[in-house]
Amino acid sequence: MPSRAHQPQAFAAFLNPALVSFVQASIAQEYELKRGRAMVWPLALVLPVLVLHRSTREALPSSIRTHLPTWAGRHPALLAGFGARVDSTLPVLREGLRFALRHGLIQVEAGAVHAMPFSTRRAEGELQEMLKSARLVGKWAATVDQPSTLLALLGVRV
């Protein structure tokens, strides 16, 4: 991925650190609420891609009643390129984590991401849709017993 200075302007604006950090924090917050413990930090570098990639986000189910393995089986084309999308987005995701840490949206403790309380009530439009999807992804990820199983379902190699 080109450095931020060399990215197309629309791409750089869309994947800005503030947006990415709110997606990461929303996922972590819902994961922790559903699971009862903080989310392991590698998931903060993988799960946001489900939300940030428009085609994938639009294919997400409306609720967690659709199990992740079922959804993955129904969307093999989206998941075929998922690992590559994660790899290409890693610099932006790392920048988002740094932003979230710096601005108190998250804390990293014992290898896990703990989201601090925050509100997204004023979000509207596409931002509102993205944060709604992020909350769903956080809850959804919390239903999978092992992070390694989740990563394998998404086609991500560690």
Side-chain angles (χ1 to χ4, degrees):
M1 171 176 278
S3 70
R4 186 162 287 284
H6 294 94
Q7 292 173 353
Q9 190 173 10
F11 181 82
F14 184 71
L15 291 180
N16 69 71
L19 171 65
V20 173
S21 69
F22 270 99
V23 168
Q24 290 166 319
S26 294
I27 290 170
Q29 187 174 51
E30 292 300 323
Y31 183 99
E32 188 169 353
L33 287 171
K34 175 90 174 147
R35 187 80 181 202
R37 64 176 182 252
M39 181 177 74
V40 296
W41 74 266
L43 294 181
L45 295 174
V46 173
L47 296 178
V49 176
L50 291 167
V51 176
L52 297 171
H53 184 254
R54 181 186 302 260
S55 297
T56 306
R57 180 176 68 248
E58 290 173 350
L60 291 173
S62 58
S63 78
I64 62 171
R65 286 185 300 228
T66 301
H67 297 282
L68 182 58
T70 302
W71 180 85
R74 291 178 184 160
H75 297 90
L78 285 175
L79 293 180
F82 188 77
R85 282 193 299 280
V86 169
D87 287 344
S88 69
T89 314
L90 274 175
V92 173
L93 296 168
R94 288 183 185 120
E95 195 174 350
L97 278 179
R98 286 190 296 272
F99 185 95
L101 283 165
R102 192 169 39 250
H103 293 279
L105 287 171
I106 63 168
Q107 292 177 344
V108 177
E109 300 170 359
V113 176
H114 170 72
M116 305 309 291
F118 65 93
S119 173
T120 59
R121 279 182 276 156
R122 293 183 7 182
E124 52 189 46
E126 190 170 5
L127 175 60
Q128 184 179 33
E129 292 171 24
M130 291 178 82
L131 295 176
K132 180 181 176 187
S133 294
R135 290 188 296 273
L136 172 105
V137 167
K139 290 176 200 169
W140 210 21
T143 66
V144 179
D145 285 337
Q146 297 296 320
S148 58
T149 302
L150 178 59
L151 296 174
L153 283 168
L154 295 175
V156 176
R157 295 182 191 171
V158 182

